[in-house]
Amino acid sequence: MSAKAQSKDAATNPRGIPYAPFVDKVEDYVSSRAEVDGTMKSFQEMISSKYQFMEVNTQRRAAGLNEKIPDIQKTLDMVQFLQSRKPSSDPIETTFELNETLFARAEIPPTDEVYLWLGANVMLAYPIGEAESLLESKLSTAQGSLENCEEDLDFLREQITTLEVATARVYNWEVTMKRKEKKEPGEDEADGARKKVLPNG
């Protein structure tokens, strides 16, 4: 692959995923039929080892965010509900999950403090106002990350399509070159035969 062709790979999307090479002129990528197999193999390796690999990882990340965002939103809704209660309000009765099949009843009086799971078996107490700000920040970050994942998935699919088209163009170029090579000797023989049958002067 020529240096001119390789320079087209420099640009990236906002997350640093490089653009796939766009084959406008096949001659920018191959100068002879001997380079065709290597160029097509390079394109196929970029599809499978690079873009499809990144696509799978991005899909997993998006799936995790799709599970995480509703949990954050639900926790934020509860914090905002607790914050809206007046100090003179009666305790509310609720149930909470101990494990997948066991729930317990509890009474929750008006409170100005909540406990949040931070992961890795860590729970911290926060004033309700700070808890709300923290959860809003986490929710906004997760939603932004999900949007980025969706944009990246669209971008990756476009790059895969671009490389598939590039592969097809290089292949078609080789087929055209083969036909020309086969046609040219035949044309010479036909011209010679025509000359033999032409009458003199």
Side-chain angles (χ1 to χ4, degrees), residues 59-74:
Q59 286 172 338
R60 288 175 181 165
R61 191 160 63 251
L65 288 166
N66 275 318
E67 291 181 2
K68 182 179 181 181
I69 287 173
D71 288 340
I72 298 174
Q73 182 66 64
K74 185 167 63 175

Side-chain angles (χ1 to χ4, degrees), residues 110-146:
T111 181
D112 58 2
E113 186 178 65
V114 293
Y115 289 79
L116 298 180
W117 283 108
L118 302 181
N121 295 322
V122 176
M123 177 182 278
L124 287 179
Y126 287 89
I128 284 188
E130 289 184 19
E132 182 181 22
S133 298
L134 176 64
L135 290 167
E136 286 175 341
S137 175
K138 284 183 173 292
L139 181 61
S140 177
T141 299
Q143 289 171 335
S145 296
L146 181 59

Side-chain angles (χ1 to χ4, degrees), residues 42-60:
S42 173
F43 288 160
Q44 290 303 308
E45 286 177 350
M46 289 175 69
I47 290 174
S48 60
S49 301
K50 188 176 187 177
Y51 290 105
Q52 287 181 339
F53 175 77
M54 287 189 285
E55 183 183 28
V56 169
N57 286 338
T58 304
Q59 286 172 338
R60 288 175 181 165

Side-chain angles (χ1 to χ4, degrees), residues 40-185:
M40 292 175 62
K41 183 179 179 182
S42 173
F43 288 160
Q44 290 303 308
E45 286 177 350
M46 289 175 69
I47 290 174
S48 60
S49 301
K50 188 176 187 177
Y51 290 105
Q52 287 181 339
F53 175 77
M54 287 189 285
E55 183 183 28
V56 169
N57 286 338
T58 304
Q59 286 172 338
R60 288 175 181 165
R61 191 160 63 251
L65 288 166
N66 275 318
E67 291 181 2
K68 182 179 181 181
I69 287 173
D71 288 340
I72 298 174
Q73 182 66 64
K74 185 167 63 175
T75 304
L76 177 59
D77 291 343
M78 178 55 67
V79 168
Q80 289 172 336
F81 169 73
L82 293 173
Q83 189 178 40
S84 70
R85 301 187 71 227
K86 296 179 181 179
S88 59
S89 301
D90 294 332
I92 57 172
E93 186 177 285
T94 185
T95 57
F96 62 94
E97 184 178 355
L98 296 176
N99 60 38
E100 291 183 357
T101 59
L102 183 61
F103 290 79
R105 291 183 180 275
E107 285 191 350
I108 304 176
T111 181
D112 58 2
E113 186 178 65
V114 293
Y115 289 79
L116 298 180
W117 283 108
L118 302 181
N121 295 322
V122 176
M123 177 182 278
L124 287 179
Y126 287 89
I128 284 188
E130 289 184 19
E132 182 181 22
S133 298
L134 176 64
L135 290 167
E136 286 175 341
S137 175
K138 284 183 173 292
L139 181 61
S140 177
T141 299
Q143 289 171 335
S145 296
L146 181 59
E147 288 178 6
N148 289 341
C149 284
E150 291 170 348
E151 289 178 7
D152 286 348
L153 285 171
D154 289 339
F155 179 81
L156 287 165
R157 293 184 191 108
E158 288 175 5
Q159 305 322 300
I160 291 170
T161 300
T162 297
L163 283 168
E164 289 172 344
V165 171
T167 302
R169 285 183 174 176
V170 173
Y171 174 81
N172 290 338
W173 180 86
E174 183 187 28
V175 170
T176 301
M177 292 300 103
K178 283 181 179 179
R179 286 176 180 170
K180 283 184 178 180
E181 290 174 4
K182 289 180 179 179
K183 186 177 179 182
E184 287 171 359

